[in-house]
């Protein structure tokens, strides 16, 4: 699967609806703002009405996205279940976005936290969630019908924009709407709307000539119109003279548009021109003022006004509050302007992302061993660290890919390390796996064997959660074969290997791994580590039916662990062992204590309710506990939630249920070994 370094689902307001009358589902409203200046297109807008799949095609800069946005914004009331948006990146520097990644973004936007890996499964889940919903999707800048086809929902309205017609989508019943360059009259109207005075009417010939030289492309008309708007005393004739002095080609439309952009660029003050050039190399789909400041090596206060000026000149777009981006034609133009400080600017941007990610990571996980040198002087982020990581995820991943492609391996693994809290909490598995693969390779190339081992263990956790056990074993073998004098890496790898064996139904092999972990941690004398190892041993012994031994190990673990959440997890498994030993009252008491201490850990609390269901005195009580367990899952498609739903369904259709307490959900690792 390809790494991503660019596009992202647009961040926006979120609401909720009830899916099939049950759990609330997130309602994303992701459309970018509607165009500020828009003319004509009455025929094209009318052609979009009444069709579920629409393909809007035309040359670059002709206004396809503006047309789609105007139509969708005008009909927002028709889509109460939300709107999804994605830039598919047909012309982005990183290349088109694979459909499996887009589906991951969409499913997360719709409230799915555990996104399955295979493309076919993601498609099925997306169709299931979208069935019967009145919503819209804008798939912008599509590269091919093959990229679009897997993204089609079960219901709703889909608008696709592309420079190509995407004729194969006719099989899916698409209506094709071609967008031509604006005619002379509408081009002048757009210029007039942007300039906001009477110059187009007092100089109609010059206005027509300017429109002709812009090729009828709104992106070029917007740039020249903004330039004239900022110069209210400049005549249109003088603007034409300057273009002709620039030896504007008369017959080559592409060259004429490029010259229009060149003239606006040459006229920029030096600071704005430098910002325009260097920000075009920022990784990711958008950037904020702080990133722009890093790119040019200046304080934020000195670039904010310049960014606003570039927006006013239509050389940048404000894609959301405080976030800026380029039309792909303008990014290409900006990148064509040589700047000797480009490499230094990119490095400053990468280092900015690294420092901010470290700040967020330290705030979320203040205790823990880190290896990156940036942690030595890190200051914890004061507000919303997880929200910041989620918002910046596409940019962080793009920064890591940029570091990789530009030959900066030391930054690759260092950028990956602070993303751990994000992946641990949010489970973006595609990004988790791809970033860690690159980071492990980079760490090894830098001679950072310890970093490679720690990152390898983190990658393994993703593999285990995805049930990719062969991949997990291969990664763990590499960690253990490295021969590092690092008990943390060794015991973590052994503990993860034990989880692989439990997942494969091999509790005896898991028990052997956990006993080896216990031996190492006992030699180190760390009470918490010993307690966690004994908890794992107890789990394996329960699976083996060796209840008395499991009780002994879990009781020792309970005594060793001070953290209320970790102790509650032990009590959950201890209750299972007690129930198996016939100590039902003690099991209920332990589960009651565990439930109280796991109020802030809903996924682990779900295990408590499942165990209580297994101890219930009557079927109705059991059903209540299963319903309580389901309520702990934000995502009804979470594999654990699906298993609980199956248990509840079975219980509702059978008079009795032979359920072993606690076996329903399985454990999703949350960061302790």
């Amino acid at each position: 699967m390809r790494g991503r370094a660019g596009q992202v689902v647009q961040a926006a307001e979120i609401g909720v609806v009830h899916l099939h009358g049950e759990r609330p589902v997130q309602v994303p409203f992701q459309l970018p703002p509607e165009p500020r200046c828009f003319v004509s297109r009455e025929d094209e807008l009318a052609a979009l009405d009444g069709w579920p799949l629409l393909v809007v095609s035309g040359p670059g800069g002709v206004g396809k996205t503006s047309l789609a946005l105007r139509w969708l914004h005008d009909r927002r009331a028709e889509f109460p279940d939300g709107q999804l948006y994605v830039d598919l990146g047909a012309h982005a520097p990183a290349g088109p976005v694979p459909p499996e990644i887009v589906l991951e973004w969409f499913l997360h936007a719709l409230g799915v936290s555990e996104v399955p890996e295979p493309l076919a499964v993601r498609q099925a889940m997306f169709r299931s969630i979208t069935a019967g919903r009145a919503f819209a999707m804008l798939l912008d800048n599509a590269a091919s019908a093959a990229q679009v086809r897997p993204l089609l929902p079960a219901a709703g309205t889909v608008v696709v924009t592309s420079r190509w017609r995407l004729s194969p989508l006719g099989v899916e019943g698409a209506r094709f709407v071609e967008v031509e360059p604006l005619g002379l009259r509408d081009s002048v109207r757009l210029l007039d709307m942007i300039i906001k005075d009477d110059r187009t009417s007092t100089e109609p010939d010059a206005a027509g000539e300017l429109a002709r030289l812009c090729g009828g492309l709104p992106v070029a008309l917007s740039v020249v119109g903004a330039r004239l708007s900022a110069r209210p005393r400049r005549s249109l004739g003088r603007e034409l003279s300057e273009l002709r002095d620039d030896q504007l080609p008369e017959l080559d439309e592409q060259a004429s548009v490029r010259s229009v952009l060149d003239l606006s660029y040459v006229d920029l003050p030096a600071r704005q021109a430098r910002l325009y050039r260097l920000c075009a190399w920022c990784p990711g789909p958008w950037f904020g003022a702080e990133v722009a400041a890093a790119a040019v090596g200046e304080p934020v206060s000195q670039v904010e006004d310049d960014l606003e000026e570039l927006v006013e000149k239509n050389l940048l777009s404000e894609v959301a509050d405080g976030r800026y981006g380029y039309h792909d034609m303008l990014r290409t133009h900006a990148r064509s302007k040589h700047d000797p400080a480009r490499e230094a600017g990119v490095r400053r941007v990468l280092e900015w992302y690294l420092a901010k990610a470290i700040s967020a990571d330290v705030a979320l996980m203040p205790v823990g061993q880190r290896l990156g040198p940036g942690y030595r002087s890190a200051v914890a982020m004061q507000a919303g660290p997880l929200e910041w990581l989620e918002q910046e995820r596409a940019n962080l991943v793009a920064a890591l890919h940029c570091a990789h492609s530009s030959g900066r391996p030391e930054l690759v693994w260092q950028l990956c390390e602070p993303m751990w809290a994000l992946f641990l909490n949010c489970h973006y598995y595609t990004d988790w796996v791809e970033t860690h693969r690159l980071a492990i390779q980079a760490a090894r190339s830098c001679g950072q064997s310890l970093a490679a081992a720690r990152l390898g263990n983190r990658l393994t956790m993703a593999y285990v959660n995805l049930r990719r056990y062969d991949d997990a074993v291969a990664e763990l073998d590499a960690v253990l074969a490295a021969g590092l004098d690092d008990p943390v890496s060794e015991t973590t790898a052994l503990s993860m290997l034990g989880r692989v064996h439990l997942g494969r139904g091999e509790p005896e092999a898991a028990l052997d791994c956990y006993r080896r972990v216990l031996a190492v941690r006992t030699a180190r004398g760390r009470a918490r580590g010993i307690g966690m190892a004994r908890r794992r041993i107890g789990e394996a012994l329960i699976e083996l039916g060796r209840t008395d031994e499991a009780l002994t190990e879990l009781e020792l673990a309970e005594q060793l662990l001070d953290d209320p959440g970790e102790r509650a997890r032990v009590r959950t498994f201890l209750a299972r062992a007690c129930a198996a030993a016939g100590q039902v009252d003690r099991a209920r008491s332990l589960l009651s204590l565990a439930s109280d201490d796991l109020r802030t850990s809903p996924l682990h609390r779900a295990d408590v309710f499942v165990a209580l269901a297994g101890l219930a005195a009557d079927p109705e009580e059991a059903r209540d506990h299963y319903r309580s367990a389901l309520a702990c899952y934000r995502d009804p498609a979470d594999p654990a939630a699906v298993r609980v739903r199956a248990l509840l369904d079975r219980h509702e259709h059978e008079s009795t249920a032979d359920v072993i307490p606690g076996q329903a959900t399985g454990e999703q690792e949350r960061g302790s070994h």
Side-chain angles (χ1 to χ4, degrees):
M1 189 180 297
R2 292 189 53 189
R4 294 305 315 136
Q7 300 70 42
V8 68
V9 176
Q10 183 78 21
E13 58 181 299
I14 296 292
V16 296
V17 295
H18 287 268
L19 181 63
H20 307 310
E22 296 180 358
R23 293 180 53 80
V25 177
Q26 290 186 133
V27 179
F29 295 101
Q30 299 180 334
L31 292 181
E34 60 184 309
R36 291 186 293 176
C37 296
F38 188 87
V39 298
S40 187
R41 304 298 193 195
E42 287 84 2
D43 291 343
E44 292 90 338
L45 288 167
L48 295 174
D49 286 336
W51 216 260
L53 177 58
L54 299 149
V55 178
V56 179
S57 60
V62 79
K64 301 180 294 295
T65 302
S66 293
L67 173 69
L69 286 173
R70 169 53 64 93
W71 187 79
L72 288 167
H73 275 287
D74 286 349
R75 286 153 184 79
R76 178 165 175 165
E78 298 175 19
F79 310 118
D81 295 335
Q83 299 102 35
L84 293 168
Y85 170 83
V86 66
D87 181 351
L88 293 175
H91 313 285
V97 191
E100 55 266 35
I101 293 180
V102 178
L103 283 173
E104 181 182 41
W105 293 340
F106 281 171
L107 288 168
H108 278 299
L110 292 167
V112 178
S113 59
E114 298 288 336
V115 177
E117 194 170 28
L119 174 60
V121 179
R122 291 181 180 183
Q123 286 179 265
M125 181 179 289
F126 184 59
R127 288 194 296 268
S128 176
I129 291 176
T130 57
R133 298 184 69 181
F135 80 110
M137 293 169 56
L138 175 52
L139 306 179
D140 209 9
N141 292 321
S144 66
Q147 184 190 29
V148 169
R149 194 172 281 116
L151 308 178
L152 299 179
T157 296
V158 181
V159 183
V160 184
T161 72
S162 177
R163 292 187 188 177
W164 301 281
R165 194 166 187 267
L166 307 185
S167 299
L169 290 179
V171 176
E172 277 72 27
R175 171 179 284 179
F176 299 94
V177 178
E178 299 283 344
V179 182
E180 301 289 341
L182 292 171
L184 182 61
R185 179 182 175 186
D186 287 331
S187 293
V188 173
R189 284 180 60 202
L190 182 58
L191 272 178
D192 183 65
M193 186 179 295
I194 299 168
I195 297 172
K196 300 177 183 176
D197 59 30
D198 61 355
R199 277 177 285 179
T200 58
S201 59
T202 57
E203 298 181 79
D205 292 340
E209 181 67 5
L210 280 173
R212 186 186 71 78
L213 295 176
C214 289
L217 300 181
V219 66
L221 289 162
S222 295
V223 170
V224 74
R227 173 181 160 86
L228 287 164
S229 176
R231 297 165 179 79
R233 293 185 175 84
R234 175 177 294 229
S235 69
L236 303 191
R238 180 180 171 188
E239 188 76 3
L240 272 175
S241 297
E242 291 201 12
L243 282 168
R244 288 172 177 145
D245 289 345
D246 198 40
Q247 298 180 341
L248 182 68
E250 292 293 331
L251 300 177
D252 186 340
E253 182 178 284
Q254 287 189 346
S256 70
V257 172
R258 187 164 57 248
S259 294
V260 167
L261 300 181
D262 280 344
L263 185 60
S264 291
Y265 167 74
V266 169
D267 201 42
L268 289 174
R271 292 167 55 86
Q272 292 177 24
R274 184 163 180 258
L275 198 62
Y276 177 71
R277 293 192 303 270
L278 292 180
C279 286
W281 296 96
C282 290
W286 55 269
F287 57 90
E290 289 182 281
V291 175
V296 296
E298 296 180 2
V300 176
S301 59
Q302 295 184 17
V303 303
E304 289 177 318
D305 289 344
D306 289 330
L307 287 170
E308 292 301 322
E309 283 295 316
L310 289 173
V311 170
E312 287 299 314
K313 293 169 181 175
N314 285 325
L315 294 171
L316 274 184
S317 301
E318 192 168 17
V319 298
D321 186 25
R323 304 179 197 174
Y324 305 91
Y326 287 84
H327 185 285
D328 53 34
M329 183 181 291
L330 291 168
R331 182 192 294 108
T332 299
H333 178 260
R335 287 189 169 192
S336 72
K337 305 304 176 185
H338 174 70
D339 193 312
R342 178 188 128 194
E343 292 298 321
V346 170
R347 184 173 187 92
R348 285 192 299 268
V349 167
L350 298 181
E351 290 173 345
W352 182 90
Y353 278 117
L354 174 59
K356 292 290 284 189
I358 287 174
S359 178
D361 183 42
V362 170
L364 288 166
M365 303 176 67
V367 178
Q369 297 182 3
R370 274 81 161 202
L371 300 174
Y375 283 94
R376 296 170 193 159
S377 57
V379 176
M381 187 177 288
Q382 294 301 305
L386 184 58
E387 290 78 7
W388 185 88
L389 286 169
E390 286 201 84
Q391 177 179 286
E392 296 281 353
R393 176 169 60 101
N395 291 330
L396 287 168
V397 173
L400 186 146
H401 282 283
C402 177
H404 171 71
S405 63
S406 60
R408 297 179 172 98
E410 75 287 351
L411 287 176
V412 173
W413 73 263
Q414 290 177 43
L415 278 162
C416 185
E417 188 178 26
M419 283 193 265
W420 177 233
L422 171 66
F423 296 138
L424 197 60
N425 282 281
C426 302
H427 289 185
Y428 297 109
Y429 284 119
T430 300
D431 287 342
W432 185 345
V433 170
E434 291 181 352
T435 55
H436 279 70
R437 281 177 171 170
L438 286 176
I440 292 165
Q441 174 189 339
R444 288 172 180 158
S445 72
C446 293
Q448 296 288 337
S449 301
L450 182 56
R454 298 278 179 89
L455 293 167
N457 282 328
R458 294 176 176 183
L459 175 57
T460 298
M461 188 181 294
Y463 286 148
V464 171
N465 287 353
L466 291 167
R467 295 171 177 77
R468 290 172 54 175
Y469 296 128
D470 289 345
D471 290 329
V473 169
E475 198 61 50
L476 291 170
D477 284 346
V479 172
L480 294 170
L484 300 172
D485 184 19
D486 178 39
V488 173
S489 296
E490 179 188 357
T491 56
T492 301
L494 286 170
S495 186
M496 293 301 300
L497 187 58
R499 285 194 62 208
V500 170
H501 287 307
L502 281 181
R504 286 175 164 173
E506 302 163 353
E508 193 70 55
L511 180 61
D512 178 65
C513 289
Y514 296 147
R515 290 200 186 283
R516 291 166 64 189
V517 171
L518 177 62
V520 175
R521 291 180 176 172
T522 300
R524 299 186 72 206
R526 303 285 182 87
R528 177 184 177 276
I530 295 170
M532 295 301 294
R534 289 195 179 280
R535 193 203 90 181
R536 293 293 194 187
I537 290 171
E539 294 175 48
L541 288 169
I542 290 172
E543 298 300 322
L544 287 165
R546 293 157 60 176
T547 305
D548 291 342
E549 294 175 74
L551 283 168
T552 300
E553 292 291 344
L554 291 166
E555 286 167 351
L556 287 170
E558 185 184 20
Q559 296 170 19
L560 288 165
L561 294 172
D562 295 327
D563 180 81
E566 292 175 347
R567 193 166 55 240
R569 290 295 292 147
V570 173
R571 287 171 176 164
T572 304
F573 289 101
L574 185 55
R576 287 181 56 192
C578 287
Q583 303 173 24
V584 177
D585 289 341
R586 185 186 177 198
R588 288 198 179 100
S589 177
L590 286 164
L591 290 170
S592 178
L593 291 170
S595 179
D596 289 341
D597 286 335
L598 290 171
R599 290 185 185 278
T600 59
S601 301
L603 299 184
H604 288 153
R605 199 174 188 218
D607 291 340
V608 174
F609 288 121
V610 171
L612 285 168
L615 300 174
D618 60 72
E620 185 56 38
E621 181 187 352
R623 287 193 288 271
D624 285 344
H625 286 309
Y626 284 132
R627 293 186 188 108
S628 295
L630 280 174
C632 292
Y633 293 96
R634 182 182 72 175
D635 173 14
D638 186 312
V642 171
R643 288 192 288 273
V644 175
R645 166 60 72 183
L647 282 168
L648 176 60
D649 290 345
R650 189 179 78 183
H651 214 79
E652 289 176 338
H653 290 89
E654 297 178 1
S655 58
T656 60
D658 183 19
V659 180
I660 299 174
Q663 283 190 337
T665 63
E667 184 181 3
Q668 289 280 333
E669 189 63 45
R670 303 291 165 186
S672 57
H673 304 285

